[in-house]
Amino acid sequence: MMIHLASSGFSPAFIVSGLLVGALVGLTGVGGGSLMTPLLVLLFGFHPATAVGTDLLFASTTKSFGTLFHHAGKSVDWQVVGRLALGSIPATGLAMAVIAHHGTTSRAMSLVMSLVLGVALLLSAVSLLVKDRIIRWVMDRHPGMRRQSPPALTVLVGFVLGLLVTLSSVGAGALGTVALLLLYPKMAAVRVVGSDIAHAVPLTLIAGLGHWYLGSIDFPLLGTLLLGSIPGILLGSWAARHMSERFLRPSLGVVLALVGWRMLTVV
């Protein structure tokens, strides 16, 4: 079982990690959970529950700024956000009940969270690397989805995202975006991104508060990460205007695949 680091307060290593993850989020739009959680577990040796819980509040804070930006630009479809939340919030409650029953420090829960994290990272990597092919493949076989998907399907997607995010802090970014592109192919890309970010805020906040209640949040670590991530996001967003997405997203996809595989092999 991973051991929580004894000294997790004001550390330059955590500030740099927040800066780098924030910059990558700004560059690619992919949620920080795909990067920050495995970094905390594999590099710094935090227990998976502490890494997941702390990263959930980290994500809810950073994505709140993104939601305000997209809302001001009218690039959030609140009806879609509501449908996703209708599935994800109950799923979050269910996942938290399972975690509470087994205990955040139990070997079984550590194993489950590490497995879910590894699988979620691999799924996120696939979605980044072959997103366009997946969308074309689904559309060719289910042309009815080009018109409009049933609202119940959006609720179901929200439920799956809720389970993944609560157990691993991964999934709200890359997986959520791909799911919305499949469900709402006529929606403008900026509204897909804005709606996905807006949905991630209540999801990660509620899940993070649940982890706080169970005692798996490291607040000194959270504050230190945010010191680096907020300027990092601003820097990454600026740099994204001058860098090719065709290079960035595949590169990040390969990194996530390697990290996801590493998570599964160390369980």
Side-chain angles (χ1 to χ4, degrees), residues 80 90 113 120 134 136 172 179-180 206 233 249 264 267:
V80 171
M113 296 179 82
I134 293 173
R136 284 197 300 268
L180 287 180
I206 292 171
I233 289 173
R249 285 186 177 272
L264 294 176
V267 172

Side-chain angles (χ1 to χ4, degrees), residues 64-89:
S64 293
F65 290 97
T67 299
L68 290 174
F69 176 83
H70 280 282
H71 176 68
K74 302 186 184 301
S75 54
V76 177
D77 189 322
W78 291 106
Q79 184 180 52
V80 171
V81 172
R83 291 172 182 173
L84 289 170
L86 195 60
S88 65
I89 292 177

Side-chain angles (χ1 to χ4, degrees), residues 43-257:
L43 183 60
F44 295 116
F46 280 86
H47 188 281
T50 302
V52 169
T54 303
D55 184 64
L56 285 167
L57 288 186
F58 171 82
S60 68
T61 303
T62 54
K63 290 190 176 185
S64 293
F65 290 97
T67 299
L68 290 174
F69 176 83
H70 280 282
H71 176 68
K74 302 186 184 301
S75 54
V76 177
D77 189 322
W78 291 106
Q79 184 180 52
V80 171
V81 172
R83 291 172 182 173
L84 289 170
L86 195 60
S88 65
I89 292 177
T92 298
L94 176 62
M96 289 307 309
V98 172
I99 295 172
H101 175 73
H102 290 282
T104 57
T105 59
S106 70
R107 174 60 184 170
M109 207 62 248
S110 175
L111 179 64
V112 168
M113 296 179 82
S114 295
L115 284 172
V116 173
L117 177 57
V119 171
L121 285 169
L122 290 176
L123 290 174
S124 297
V126 170
S127 70
L128 282 174
L129 293 171
V130 295
K131 178 180 66 175
D132 294 336
R133 294 182 182 180
I134 293 173
I135 293 172
R136 284 197 300 268
W137 184 85
V138 173
M139 291 302 177
D140 289 342
R141 284 155 181 76
H142 303 281
M145 292 186 69
R146 295 181 184 276
R147 296 187 293 272
Q148 185 68 55
S149 299
L153 194 54
T154 306
V155 176
L156 178 61
V157 167
F159 186 85
V160 174
L161 289 176
L163 291 177
L164 284 175
V165 171
T166 306
L167 290 171
S168 69
S169 79
V170 176
L175 294 178
T177 301
V178 171
L180 287 180
L181 286 170
L182 290 171
L183 292 171
Y184 302 94
K186 293 184 178 181
M187 185 184 293
V190 67
R191 287 177 68 81
V192 169
V193 174
S195 301
D196 182 64
I197 290 175
H199 168 246
V201 173
L203 171 56
T204 54
L205 177 60
I206 292 171
L209 291 175
H211 279 271
W212 181 13
Y213 176 77
L214 296 177
S216 53
I217 303 290
D218 189 318
F219 283 101
L221 170 64
L222 173 62
T224 308
L225 292 174
L226 289 174
L227 281 177
S229 70
I230 293 175
I233 289 173
L234 297 175
L235 177 63
S237 299
W238 173 83
R241 303 175 185 177
H242 309 283
M243 298 185 70
S244 173
E245 184 177 312
R246 288 185 299 176
F247 168 77
L248 288 170
R249 285 186 177 272
S251 299
L252 182 58
V254 171
V255 171
L256 294 183

